[in-house]
Structure formats: C-alpha cells, structure tokens
C-alpha cells in the first residue's frame, strides 16, 4: 500500500498502444463512432460509423474497447441499464451486438464493462453495479464472437466496489495461462485497490488496498496504462472535483522483476514507494 505524494513532472511516459487507444479515444469523442479512413479527427457526420445505437460509458472503466484480429470490440451500458458488447469488423464493416450480459439492471454509465482479449482469443467482459458489493465476468464462448457468452461468474467483495481496469502481465504469474491478469478497481473507502487472477477469471485474489487517501472517501480518480508484460503506469487525482475543488495529479508505476520474482511500486523518479 502506498500513500499519495504530489508529483509536478513525470520523469517517464510510457506510450499507450497506438491504434487501439486512438480508436477508443475517437469512439469516446463522438458517440462510439470512429472515422472511416485513417485516424484523423472526424470532420463531418458522414465520416462516422455507428458502433451502437444505444450506449454510454464512463472514462474510468478500461479498456472500454479493444482491437483483436481486425475487429474492434466496444463495451457500454444501454438506456435500460444493460451491459452489452458490440463488435465491428474493420475490413468488412459488419457490426454485431451482444445480448445483455448482466443479470441485473441499473441505468448508470459507471457500469460499462472492462474488456480484455484472453490468450486464446476469447473476449472477457468484467463489470460491476455502481456502489455494488461485487463484480461479475463473462467470457465469449468462441474467439472474437460476441453473439455467444459463457455463464456469469461473481466475485463477492463484501464492500462497495466500482470501476475496473483489466491489465495483463505476461512476465508475472503462470506462463501456461498467459500470465497474471490484474483488475485495478475502487473499493476500500473509495480508494484504488486491485485483485488478480492467475487462471483467466476462474478465481480471484483477495482485494489489495493499493493507495490510501489521507481524506476518507475522497474517491481519487485513476487512469492507467500497461505495457502488457511487466509494467503499469498510474495517474490519479486527490478526489472527486465536487468535493475536492483543488486537485493535484499524482503518478507512480508498478514494475514486476522476473529475475527477482517480485513486483513493487515506484515513484516517477524510479525510487521505491
């Protein structure tokens, strides 16, 4: 667990996965739409492709969209409070929408799923009710096909939990399962926490209280990016601007050392936390 300390300048910036992040950003800017050609910002409605006619997301569940084998998968919440995933084939232009994934309903944009591609090509969606006490996962039956999903699995956190960000570390955990998959989430007193799975969602570790705020329930907002192998860079704020009008931005990173077989958090200057 680490306490937040203000950082005025990041020493190192780890780039985000280019094409995936650009497609996701453009989809977020204009109602789940991306330009037909290239990655330049769209300039007219005729240049846009609708990925779903009914869907919203919030910025703090990631990845909100993933690109795999030429298909863009996008997760969202419908106007009826249902969690869904759409696929868009970049080559053919074909779009396919899933049925509702969640067994409950809540009309809240906080509930959009975090998506990840498993080593065998199937898509995992992880989602949670806003201020619920558990998160759920479902995995497509076949690689790249959102029309058919396995049963819903539930992780009982026994305390309020919301927001999720799935990141895989191939250097950490068992190689036969493709490494360790982390879910960075918000739990203890609305603080950043994490849990992980070494078997692609069949079981999850206990929650780890990752960052302890100095002010209870200030709800720091977190964004992060991983290199897919051994590092995750994390930026976070003091809390919700409604309650914390004077906000700072903090940075740290988690790095797993395969030689020493241990992971640790570091400040931007590479010193340990």
């Amino acid at each position: 667990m680490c306490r937040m300390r203000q950082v005025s300048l990041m020493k190192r910036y780890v780039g985000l996965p280019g094409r995936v992040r650009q497609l996701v950003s453009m989809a977020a800017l204009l109602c789940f739409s991306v330009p037909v050609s290239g990655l330049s910002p769209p300039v007219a409605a005729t240049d846009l492709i609708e990925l779903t006619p009914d869907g919203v997301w919030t910025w703090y569940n990631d990845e909100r969209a993933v690109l795999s084998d030429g298909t863009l998968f996008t997760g969202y919440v419908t106007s009826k409070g249902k969690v869904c995933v759409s696929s868009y084939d970049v080559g053919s232009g074909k779009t396919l929408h899933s049925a509702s994934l969640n067994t409950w309903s809540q009309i809240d944009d906080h509930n959009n799923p975090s998506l990840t591609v498993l080593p065998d090509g199937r898509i995992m969606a992880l989602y949670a009710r806003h201020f619920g006490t558990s998160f759920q996962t479902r995995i497509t039956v076949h690689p790249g096909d959102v029309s058919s999903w396995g049963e819903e699995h539930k992780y009982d956190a026994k305390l309020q939990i919301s927001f999720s960000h799935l990141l895989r570390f191939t250097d950490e955990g068992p190689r036969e399962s493709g490494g360790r998959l982390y879910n960075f989430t918000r739990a203890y007193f609305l603080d950043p926490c994490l849990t992980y799975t070494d078997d692609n969602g069949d079981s999850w570790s206990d929650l780890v209280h990752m960052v302890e705020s100095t002010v209870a329930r200030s709800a720091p907002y977190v964004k992060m990016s991983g290199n897919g192998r051994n590092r995750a860079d994390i930026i976070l704020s003091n809390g919700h601007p409604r309650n914390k009008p004077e906000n700072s931005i903090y940075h740290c990173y988690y790095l797993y050392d395969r030689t020493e077989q241990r992971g640790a958090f570091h400040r931007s200057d590479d010193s340990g936390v």
Side-chain angles (χ1 to χ4, degrees), residues 164-273:
S164 294
H165 192 143
L166 291 169
L167 287 178
R168 183 174 295 278
F169 284 62
T170 56
D171 279 5
E172 189 173 358
R175 293 189 177 185
E176 59 269 20
S177 65
R180 177 165 291 176
L181 181 62
Y182 280 93
N183 175 28
F184 292 89
T185 186
R186 186 175 77 176
Y188 288 104
F189 306 105
L190 306 185
D191 278 349
C193 299
L194 64 86
T195 181
Y196 63 84
T197 175
D198 285 338
D199 50 25
N200 290 312
D202 287 342
S203 61
W204 294 85
S205 71
D206 292 336
L207 277 170
V208 176
H209 195 172
M210 186 174 73
V211 176
E212 181 182 357
S213 304
T214 55
V215 178
R217 301 185 69 83
S218 59
Y221 281 78
V222 181
K223 295 291 287 185
M224 59 185 59
S225 173
N227 66 1
R229 186 171 63 87
N230 65 348
R231 175 167 170 154
D233 279 75
I234 304 163
I235 58 172
L236 64 157
S237 66
N238 291 79
H240 197 298
R242 179 181 58 213
N243 304 320
K244 300 282 292 184
E246 295 182 2
N247 252 290
S248 297
I249 298 296
Y250 305 85
H251 169 260
C252 67
Y253 66 92
Y254 173 81
L255 183 67
Y256 182 78
D257 188 317
R258 178 181 281 276
T259 301
E260 297 186 2
Q261 294 189 344
R262 64 182 299 270
F265 285 92
H266 300 267
R267 298 181 177 88
S268 298
D269 62 4
D270 298 329
S271 62
V273 174

Side-chain angles (χ1 to χ4, degrees), residues 110-207:
H110 293 74
N111 303 343
N112 63 287
S114 171
L115 303 179
T116 191
V117 182
L118 298 180
D120 63 3
R122 292 180 300 159
I123 307 300
M124 173 189 284
L126 186 151
Y127 46 92
R129 187 193 301 266
H130 191 205
F131 288 133
T133 57
S134 65
F135 66 76
Q136 293 80 45
T137 61
R138 291 187 73 173
I139 299 173
T140 59
V141 175
H142 304 291
D145 180 8
V146 300
S147 65
S148 180
W149 295 75
E151 65 182 33
E152 185 179 69
H153 292 276
K154 178 180 178 181
Y155 173 91
D156 190 359
K158 298 182 174 64
L159 71 168
Q160 285 185 345
I161 189 170
S162 53
F163 299 141
S164 294
H165 192 143
L166 291 169
L167 287 178
R168 183 174 295 278
F169 284 62
T170 56
D171 279 5
E172 189 173 358
R175 293 189 177 185
E176 59 269 20
S177 65
R180 177 165 291 176
L181 181 62
Y182 280 93
N183 175 28
F184 292 89
T185 186
R186 186 175 77 176
Y188 288 104
F189 306 105
L190 306 185
D191 278 349
C193 299
L194 64 86
T195 181
Y196 63 84
T197 175
D198 285 338
D199 50 25
N200 290 312
D202 287 342
S203 61
W204 294 85
S205 71
D206 292 336
L207 277 170

